[in-house]
Amino acid sequence: MLAPMATGEAPLGDARYVSLETFRKDGTGVKTPVWAAPLDGKLVVFTAGDSFKVKRLRNDARVRVAACDVRGNVRGEWLSGKGHIVEDAAQVEQVLGALRRKYGFQMRVTDFFARLSGRYRKRAYLELSLERGEGETGRSEDQKG
């Protein structure tokens, strides 16, 4: 069994992008590069509320994350964990605060255009609790066989 990260630690908290892998019902992993910020020893992410990653997370809480570039090319070790959708308004504000602290002006511009287009209220906020060690779980879509 993998040990949970200690409270206060921020695994991958300094990575500009992380590849977030969520799992389909058949166990196939689907990877997406996302912004992620550290918050209370966990990573927090925002995405469209109707995205497939949110739907997959509702069915299977398992996640894997690794540092990556903007195109999703992995640049580090995978970490396994569990993810959940943040529903509480106070927690959503904490998540937004963490993302704004990390991404600064870019996050504020993203928020501005999301408000203009009506996507701001449709966002989902995810909290990822990660474990120490290599995260080989499930099958990735890019693995053959």
Side-chain angles (χ1 to χ4, degrees):
M1 184 76 187
L2 298 172
M5 294 284 181
T7 302
E9 283 186 51
L12 303 174
D14 59 347
R16 188 86 185 133
Y17 295 92
V18 298
S19 181
L20 171 61
E21 184 174 30
T22 54
F23 296 90
R24 293 180 177 149
K25 290 181 182 179
D26 70 359
T28 303
V30 180
K31 300 171 189 157
T32 309
V34 295
W35 281 354
L39 180 64
D40 297 332
K42 300 174 185 175
L43 284 182
V44 291
V45 172
F46 78 98
T47 187
D50 60 355
S51 68
F52 284 107
K53 73 179 88 48
V54 171
K55 293 174 185 180
R56 288 188 296 270
L57 196 60
R58 287 189 198 284
N59 289 320
D60 187 344
R62 291 180 305 140
V63 297
R64 289 193 331 150
V65 296
C68 72
D69 64 18
V70 67
R71 294 182 178 200
N73 298 311
V74 174
R75 297 183 173 189
E77 176 184 350
W78 285 97
L79 296 173
S80 293
K82 300 285 183 189
H84 81 273
I85 300 159
V86 176
E87 308 274 356
D88 179 71
Q91 286 181 310
V92 166
E93 285 304 313
Q94 290 179 333
V95 169
L96 282 167
L99 288 161
R100 287 175 182 149
R101 279 189 299 279
K102 181 171 180 182
Y103 293 99
F105 178 76
Q106 287 179 301
M107 186 66 190
R108 285 176 176 73
V109 169
T110 299
D111 288 345
F112 175 77
F113 285 108
R115 281 188 178 99
L116 281 179
S117 66
R119 293 187 317 257
Y120 188 84
R121 290 186 182 168
K122 297 176 184 176
R123 282 184 181 169
Y125 299 92
L126 313 178
E127 183 178 71
L128 312 176
S129 302
L130 304 175
E131 301 167 332
R132 291 190 189 281
E134 220 294 313
E136 286 302 320
T137 60
R139 291 181 304 157
S140 291
E141 197 170 60
D142 58 350
Q143 293 174 330
K144 305 290 183 210

